[in-house]
Amino acid sequence: MAQNYAALREAAGLGPTDAFAASEALVAARDYDAIVLITRSGTTTEVLELVAELCGRVRTVGIVGDTASPFPDAVDALAALPFADETSV
């Protein structure tokens, strides 16, 4: 989903846009005006570590399924999708 969004945003001329797995994010390599982080559970270690690293440096926007997780409080803006959360088996 993130790769498709990045391609469409760049194709529309809205500026440089990249998509990475949180564990492979190279945020220090570019000057971003905002970073969108996506996590269903809100507890993904790599995502939480990345948002902590970005705190106060770049605006963070989160998309999450589990709104009771620590993630919503860690980002600057949030799109909550609780209907998309699922129970692990």
Side-chain angles (χ1 to χ4, degrees):
M1 185 172 99
Q3 289 175 331
N4 286 329
Y5 172 78
L8 289 170
R9 186 177 186 279
E10 278 200 4
L14 298 172
T17 309
D18 298 310
F20 300 104
S23 61
E24 299 172 2
L26 304 171
V27 295
R30 303 271 304 253
D31 186 24
Y32 296 106
D33 58 346
I35 295 185
V36 178
L37 300 112
I38 304 169
T39 172
R40 181 199 55 80
S41 69
T43 59
T44 308
T45 302
E46 294 88 349
V47 172
L48 292 174
E49 288 174 353
L50 182 56
V51 77
E53 176 187 331
L54 298 170
C55 184
R57 291 188 12 213
V58 65
R59 185 170 192 270
T60 54
V61 178
I63 300 173
V64 69
D66 184 357
T67 56
S69 69
F71 184 71
D73 292 331
V75 295
D76 298 317
L78 182 72
L81 305 175
F83 63 87
D85 193 23
E86 59 188 41
T87 303
S88 298
V89 291

